[in-house]
Amino acid sequence: MSLSYQDLVDAAKQEIPEVDPAQLSDLIGNVAILDVRESDEYDQGAIATAKLVPRGLLEGTIATHAHDPNERIVVYCAGGARSALAALTLKRMGYSSVSSLRGGFGRWKNEGYPWGLPETLTGDQRGRYSRHILLPEVGEEGQIRLLQSKALIVGAGGLGSPAALYLAAAGVGTIGIVDFDVVDTTNLQRQILHNIDRVGQSKVESARETLASLNPDVKILTYNERLTADNVLQILSGYDVVVDGGDNFPTRYLVNDAALHLRIPVVHGSIFRFEGQVTVFEPYKGPCYRCQYAEPPPPELAPSCAEAGVLGVLPGIIGSLQAMETLKILLGIGDNLRGRLLTFDGLSQEFTTLNIRRDPSCPACSSESHPPQLVEYDQSCTPAGVVARAG
């Protein structure tokens, strides 16, 4: 005769130790707490430090919440039945120190222990970001983190366009865009934020309209101005990451130096004809832009897209890679490209990864206590009469 649900629960409780609310209260801060209820139950209230891992997803997602099989874990549900079964499952998966909360969350509340309404996604957001939530490395907790994050995109052009679109679609809560150019017909071959109806419109306003129609969860901040030594710290301040989509050396050096002042990671991308490259500059943890290029090159050695040309799809590839690196940084997952330069050759369809090292004599990042002076570079690497633009 098959065992009833209650028989299974009773058997689990004989094998799994239980803790009372008073015991769990004393353990908070020194134990991992897992809430194995459904998300709608969790939304109504939870123990503050608990991580939501619904019982049906436990086996597939536990590794992202409990990395050490010897870590002490307390599992709870509404009344103590599901948590006993979940704890038994964890024990059989190799977790050696698992307990169940006797009486569950109901007893915890009834005995007056602290709880609150957790930060959760709305039903619409769970639908919009469902494919993110299914990823153990992201989940609902990671999606909430994205919605609370802030990314600044320098340049609403070829690189900034795909980066902005994917970051907005992913639900990065605040996206700032810096560009003082206007939409031109020559942009439309690659700058997919814009369209023919917006020729002559400011790029940041065109970008704002596109992104706002894509995802209403995202707040778009626009800076219709040129980055200068006077405003760069104010504009970059408060962001979690900077996506450098600038198409000129003055902007790249200024962004690099300001990021060192503010200790903000920069996801750098650049393109030339059929080739592109991506890397991540994390201040004082790896190389910076000046570790590669200590001083700006003369303008004749650094032609722009307007001078050298570019295949329109190339910035889409590189900008998408920048978006990927940005999301990894914001979520704290994977290995970002710090200390590595990823290059792409479109004609041969080949990626190559090169190691880059921090230069101990770098004029910008060699001393953490003395970040570089912020100066204008237009005169040193931009032809006379040409204004450097970010995008």
Side-chain angles (χ1 to χ4, degrees), residues 26-224:
D26 291 337
L27 290 171
I28 286 179
N30 298 304
V31 64
I33 304 175
L34 303 182
D35 186 326
V36 295
R37 298 175 297 164
E38 296 303 311
S39 58
D40 58 338
E41 297 175 277
Y42 178 78
D43 291 349
Q44 301 304 310
I47 299 174
T49 58
K51 295 180 179 179
L52 175 64
V53 190
R55 175 68 188 88
L57 303 176
L58 183 66
E59 290 88 338
T61 62
I62 184 59
T64 65
H65 299 286
H67 306 287
D68 183 357
N70 297 314
E71 179 180 14
R72 185 163 187 184
I73 300 171
V74 175
V75 185
Y76 76 86
C77 62
R82 281 174 290 173
S83 60
L85 293 171
L88 181 59
T89 296
L90 292 178
K91 180 179 178 181
R92 290 174 176 171
M93 291 177 66
Y95 289 89
S96 61
S97 183
V98 186
S99 305
S100 174
L101 177 61
R102 183 180 289 112
F105 184 61
R107 180 176 173 184
W108 176 272
K109 284 200 304 181
N110 291 337
E111 294 188 4
Y113 289 96
W115 61 280
L117 296 176
E119 291 189 74
T120 61
L121 301 176
T122 66
D124 287 344
Q125 288 173 329
R126 288 196 179 105
R128 174 182 285 272
Y129 307 115
S130 61
R131 301 307 187 269
H132 275 178
I133 295 170
L134 289 171
L135 295 171
E137 296 83 356
V138 182
E140 185 161 331
E141 182 179 345
Q143 188 60 55
I144 291 171
R145 184 172 179 176
L146 288 180
L147 287 164
Q148 296 172 339
S149 298
K150 298 180 179 181
L152 179 70
I153 299 175
V154 178
L159 295 173
S161 287
L165 284 166
Y166 273 113
L167 294 180
V172 174
T174 300
I175 296 177
I177 303 176
V178 186
D179 202 313
F180 78 110
D181 204 355
V182 297
V183 179
D184 185 84
T185 54
T186 61
N187 303 146
L188 303 181
Q189 161 252 18
R190 65 198 179 282
Q191 299 182 15
I192 56 177
L193 276 172
H194 317 299
N195 60 50
I196 192 68
D197 295 329
R198 298 181 191 162
V199 171
Q201 184 178 3
S202 72
K203 285 187 177 180
V204 293
E205 181 58 25
S206 174
R208 187 197 64 75
E209 291 181 21
T210 300
L211 299 178
S213 67
L214 176 63
N215 191 347
D217 286 340
V218 179
K219 180 180 180 181
I220 310 299
L221 303 179
T222 59
Y223 306 88
N224 189 18

Side-chain angles (χ1 to χ4, degrees), residues 79-380:
R82 281 174 290 173
S83 60
L85 293 171
L88 181 59
T89 296
L90 292 178
K91 180 179 178 181
R92 290 174 176 171
M93 291 177 66
Y95 289 89
S96 61
S97 183
V98 186
S99 305
S100 174
L101 177 61
R102 183 180 289 112
F105 184 61
R107 180 176 173 184
W108 176 272
K109 284 200 304 181
N110 291 337
E111 294 188 4
Y113 289 96
W115 61 280
L117 296 176
E119 291 189 74
T120 61
L121 301 176
T122 66
D124 287 344
Q125 288 173 329
R126 288 196 179 105
R128 174 182 285 272
Y129 307 115
S130 61
R131 301 307 187 269
H132 275 178
I133 295 170
L134 289 171
L135 295 171
E137 296 83 356
V138 182
E140 185 161 331
E141 182 179 345
Q143 188 60 55
I144 291 171
R145 184 172 179 176
L146 288 180
L147 287 164
Q148 296 172 339
S149 298
K150 298 180 179 181
L152 179 70
I153 299 175
V154 178
L159 295 173
S161 287
L165 284 166
Y166 273 113
L167 294 180
V172 174
T174 300
I175 296 177
I177 303 176
V178 186
D179 202 313
F180 78 110
D181 204 355
V182 297
V183 179
D184 185 84
T185 54
T186 61
N187 303 146
L188 303 181
Q189 161 252 18
R190 65 198 179 282
Q191 299 182 15
I192 56 177
L193 276 172
H194 317 299
N195 60 50
I196 192 68
D197 295 329
R198 298 181 191 162
V199 171
Q201 184 178 3
S202 72
K203 285 187 177 180
V204 293
E205 181 58 25
S206 174
R208 187 197 64 75
E209 291 181 21
T210 300
L211 299 178
S213 67
L214 176 63
N215 191 347
D217 286 340
V218 179
K219 180 180 180 181
I220 310 299
L221 303 179
T222 59
Y223 306 88
N224 189 18
E225 55 190 301
R226 184 171 69 92
L227 280 180
T228 68
D230 292 330
N231 67 15
V232 66
L233 290 179
Q234 180 180 357
I235 291 176
L236 267 62
S237 181
Y239 286 95
D240 301 306
V241 63
V242 175
V243 180
D244 180 8
D247 66 353
N248 59 79
F249 282 95
T251 299
R252 292 169 187 162
Y253 281 96
L254 193 57
V255 168
N256 177 81
D257 294 355
L260 289 170
H261 278 261
L262 299 171
R263 297 176 181 264
I264 302 173
V266 175
V267 180
H268 168 76
S270 61
I271 52 175
F272 180 74
R273 292 182 174 172
F274 300 95
E275 301 174 356
Q277 59 185 29
V278 184
T279 190
V280 171
F281 300 123
E282 284 195 70
Y284 307 112
K285 294 181 180 179
C288 76
Y289 188 70
R290 286 178 180 269
C291 290
Q292 287 183 274
Y293 310 103
E295 297 294 337
E300 61 271 17
L301 296 182
S304 67
C305 291
E307 298 167 313
V310 62
L311 192 66
V313 71
L314 177 66
I317 296 168
I318 301 303
S320 297
L321 289 170
Q322 288 181 276
M324 171 66 85
E325 290 300 295
T326 300
L327 292 175
K328 285 161 55 181
I329 290 170
L330 294 176
L331 289 166
I333 62 174
D335 295 322
N336 69 47
L337 286 172
R338 182 184 75 195
R340 294 179 293 154
L341 182 70
L342 181 65
T343 68
F344 173 69
D345 185 330
L347 291 180
S348 64
Q349 204 76 313
E350 291 182 338
F351 285 95
T352 303
T353 302
L354 306 173
N355 292 324
I356 52 177
R357 294 180 174 81
R358 187 175 174 187
D359 181 359
S361 60
C362 174
C365 72
S366 58
S367 173
E368 291 191 43
S369 59
H370 295 88
Q373 181 182 0
L374 300 177
V375 297
E376 305 290 346
Y377 290 95
D378 287 5
Q379 298 305 313
S380 62

